[in-house]
Amino acid sequence: SFECLKEMKVYPEKYRKQRDLFRFRLKELDFVKFNDSVWIYPYPCQKEIDFIANYLEIGKYVHFALVKDITNKKRLERYFNL
């Protein structure tokens, strides 16, 4: 299964800097951008992401899901060496 992080597409403009920092951090942590606002990671990470999102004051715009099956699963497994 994969951790699935959903960013709300509509951030108030005043959070642009925080949003950009948050996305930069996701890339640093090796999340895969699945589509415009969904990021995928194969390991438990909700506590860390909640901490970062709340620190940046955008926590209410970030949502989690545990995904049991997903399209392109094999591609994601190869990317993460699973």
Side-chain angles (χ1 to χ4, degrees), residues 38-49:
V38 175
W39 297 79
I40 304 291
Y41 195 69
Y43 308 108
C45 59
Q46 186 171 358
K47 289 179 184 178
E48 294 84 353
I49 296 304

Side-chain angles (χ1 to χ4, degrees), residues 2-16:
F2 290 92
E3 298 279 322
C4 181
L5 172 63
K6 168 74 171 139
E7 279 186 283
M8 297 301 288
K9 285 190 75 126
V10 181
Y11 282 88
E13 187 60 29
K14 70 179 184 175
Y15 294 116
R16 177 180 290 276

Side-chain angles (χ1 to χ4, degrees), residues 1-81:
S1 63
F2 290 92
E3 298 279 322
C4 181
L5 172 63
K6 168 74 171 139
E7 279 186 283
M8 297 301 288
K9 285 190 75 126
V10 181
Y11 282 88
E13 187 60 29
K14 70 179 184 175
Y15 294 116
R16 177 180 290 276
K17 184 176 180 181
Q18 290 96 321
R19 178 192 64 209
D20 294 343
L21 286 169
F22 184 68
R23 289 178 180 162
F24 176 78
R25 187 68 179 131
L26 293 177
K27 291 175 188 175
E28 277 188 333
L29 293 169
D30 207 26
F31 275 72
V32 169
K33 189 172 184 179
F34 193 70
N35 69 23
D36 286 346
S37 61
V38 175
W39 297 79
I40 304 291
Y41 195 69
Y43 308 108
C45 59
Q46 186 171 358
K47 289 179 184 178
E48 294 84 353
I49 296 304
D50 283 346
F51 175 80
I52 295 167
N54 289 326
Y55 177 79
L56 294 172
E57 300 178 351
I58 58 171
K60 68 181 181 180
Y61 302 103
V62 176
H63 305 282
F64 262 86
L66 181 60
V67 179
K68 290 188 176 196
D69 199 17
I70 191 166
T71 57
N72 295 319
K73 184 177 181 178
K74 294 292 183 194
R75 185 182 128 248
L76 290 167
E77 289 173 342
R78 280 192 307 273
Y79 179 84
F80 288 114
N81 295 315

